[in-house]
Amino acid sequence: MNEIFFLAVETSCDDTSISILKAVEDGDKLKKIEALSNIVSSQTQLHAGYGGVYPFLAKREHQKNLPVVFGQAAKDFDVSKLQFIAVTHGPGLDPCLWTGINFAQELSKKYNLPLAGANHLEAHFLANLLTLGIGEDEFTNDYLPAVSLVVSGGHTLLFLAKKIGDYELLGQTLDDAAGECFDKAARILGLPYPGGPEISKHALEYVDRGKPGEVNIKLPRPMIKQKNYNFSFSGLKTAILYLHQKQTEETKKSPEYLAAMSHEIESAIVEVLVSKTKRAAIEFGARSIIIGGGVSANKILRHELEGAAAELNIKFLAPAPDLSVDNAAMAGVAGYFAWRRGQAVQNPADLTSEPNLGI
Ligand code: KG4
Ligand code: ZN
């Protein structure tokens, strides 16, 4: 058994995160990967006033937070044991990605360590390896091929994971991401940012109230009938806006309306995501459905996908809540495989930001 220690940096959006990880290898196989630390400094409150992430403000915060987060993550750890540094190089917000890359480049020079670029989308998928605490052979044999849905504030895509590192994009959003739709819908309804958990909370009230029918609300399920695996959420956002504008001021303020509207918004988004994921799992003979990204914290989405997987007699995997949001530990797992594939660079200047990187 061989132990490999490395550090990971994640700044692709509005979370500043650094993790120290340990990979245990047997020969050329990963037996287990674990995060010894995974510090996340969230900027959610800062961006709340803008109703979304404001890139240049996020960049300034990352610059301020990175040395502090590094100090916390590396506390009690002998950095001379590190063998490489992983950093998210895409996709994400360009100024934010560069902040993390520049920080990792400085560490790389200081400690003379190679740099491995981590793909943020692969990281959301591989976060499940940390949650399961299993090795690559077990993961591959028990769960792959998998149909994976990565849904967050910046991304909505469906891909087929044949092996770790071998992915085929099945479809993605043509406009807004699902999380963005939750966030924009919440803003329309006057709810705070981030919108996903807020909409979810009010939707639950609707169920708790026994689904009162006094407000007749019906929203579209965009592209649900189309045979491809693409998504579109900007039309849904517009439909929510028009429907909301039609209500009287009194209705807009009523908790019943807010609950019914939230329930319908959540149902519309979840139904589209589940329907396409399930269809893909059937078409590609998947052994599992695997989700990742901030929206995967949504309880209804988890419940419905779990049900779909059970119906198909396949497995369902979702990361632990702290690993479903942006964090450096998951970037570390993606960075570890990139490093092992020989993709790490010796010259730190060779690693650049790739804001539009795909899976
Ligand atoms: O992955 P993440 O932390 O950051 C991005 O890469 O975007 O995802 C944040 C997104 C936000 O849009 C937020 O509203 C959404 O995830 N989100 C949720 C829930 N929790 C967070 N959406 C629906 N239901 C939730 N419970
Ligand atoms: Zn993310």
Side-chain angles (χ1 to χ4, degrees):
M1 293 281 187
N2 187 21
E3 287 186 342
I4 302 197
F5 295 94
F6 61 101
L7 180 130
V9 180
E10 155 66 44
T11 60
S12 67
C13 191
D14 64 339
D15 294 302
T16 316
S17 182
I18 294 187
S19 169
I20 301 236
L21 296 102
K22 179 172 87 171
V24 181
E25 292 178 339
D26 189 2
D28 59 352
K29 296 283 186 186
L30 177 76
K31 281 282 148 197
K32 192 178 160 77
I33 189 159
E34 82 183 280
L36 305 180
S37 65
N38 189 21
I39 308 293
V40 182
S41 172
S42 167
Q43 303 175 10
T44 305
Q45 287 318 313
L46 187 75
H47 297 281
Y50 298 90
V53 180
Y54 190 61
F56 285 91
L57 191 61
K59 173 189 162 170
R60 208 182 62 197
E61 283 301 298
H62 285 314
Q63 283 170 333
K64 202 170 78 190
N65 293 340
L66 275 166
V68 183
V69 172
F70 173 71
Q72 290 170 351
K75 186 168 65 85
D76 310 324
F77 184 81
D78 173 9
V79 287
S80 70
K81 289 204 303 202
L82 295 175
Q83 293 200 19
F84 69 95
I85 295 169
V87 57
T88 305
H89 69 135
L93 302 168
D94 199 40
C96 298
L97 288 166
W98 269 118
T99 320
I101 293 171
N102 289 151
F103 188 78
Q105 285 170 330
E106 277 168 35
L107 290 178
S108 155
K109 274 188 228 152
K110 185 169 170 190
Y111 299 110
N112 195 23
L113 295 169
L115 265 190
N119 180 320
H120 186 70
L121 302 171
E122 186 184 16
H124 272 303
F125 165 73
L126 290 174
N128 288 285
L129 215 52
L130 285 166
T131 300
L132 289 171
I134 59 173
E136 62 183 287
D137 274 350
E138 225 177 322
F139 182 67
T140 305
N141 295 338
D142 291 354
Y143 296 95
L144 304 187
V147 159
S148 183
L149 175 73
V150 172
V151 257
S152 71
H155 314 283
T156 298
L157 70 156
L158 203 53
F159 60 89
L160 181 66
K162 299 172 198 168
K163 294 205 174 75
I164 293 174
D166 184 2
Y167 311 107
E168 182 187 333
L169 179 70
L170 301 178
Q172 58 190 326
T173 182
L174 304 176
D175 40 58
D176 293 353
E180 199 178 349
C181 187
F182 271 115
D183 295 336
K184 287 177 174 169
R187 204 185 163 114
I188 292 168
L189 299 182
L191 298 172
Y193 174 85
E198 286 292 322
I199 299 267
S200 238
K201 191 175 79 189
H202 288 280
L204 199 63
E205 272 170 38
Y206 179 72
V207 178
D208 287 348
R209 283 168 201 267
K211 303 190 179 182
E214 66 257 43
V215 224
N216 186 17
I217 289 169
K218 192 70 195 158
L219 289 167
R221 271 63 176 155
M223 298 184 78
I224 202 163
K225 295 252 158 53
Q226 291 190 17
K227 291 281 168 249
N228 57 45
Y229 295 110
N230 289 328
F231 303 93
S232 165
F233 292 105
S234 92
L236 178 60
K237 172 196 66 192
T238 312
I240 295 164
L241 179 67
Y242 288 164
L243 193 59
H244 184 68
Q245 283 172 341
K246 274 203 286 192
Q247 310 301 322
T248 64
E249 289 309 312
E250 199 190 337
T251 304
K252 282 181 191 168
K253 289 196 196 89
S254 91
E256 287 80 10
Y257 164 73
L258 206 56
M261 187 69 155
S262 297
H263 182 261
E264 179 64 7
I265 292 167
E266 185 175 56
S267 303
I269 297 174
V270 168
E271 274 174 36
V272 176
L273 294 173
V274 172
S275 151
K276 298 223 171 194
T277 307
K278 190 176 172 190
R279 192 152 48 76
I282 297 169
E283 180 176 344
F284 296 97
R287 212 173 253 155
S288 69
I289 290 173
I290 301 185
I291 58 169
V295 181
S296 75
N298 186 280
K299 291 208 176 75
I300 307 295
L301 178 65
R302 283 186 183 221
H303 178 77
E304 295 294 318
L305 282 176
E306 204 170 358
E311 221 178 275
L312 301 177
N313 208 13
I314 62 175
K315 294 191 170 74
F316 170 71
L317 267 188
D322 57 330
L323 292 166
S324 69
V325 295
D326 289 350
N327 67 91
M330 69 177 194
V333 188
Y336 162 80
F337 285 105
W339 173 76
R340 224 183 58 186
R341 288 193 289 264
Q343 291 166 346
V345 294
Q346 293 300 327
N347 178 4
D350 288 344
L351 194 82
T352 55
S353 156
E354 294 190 43
N356 299 317
L357 188 68
I359 187 71

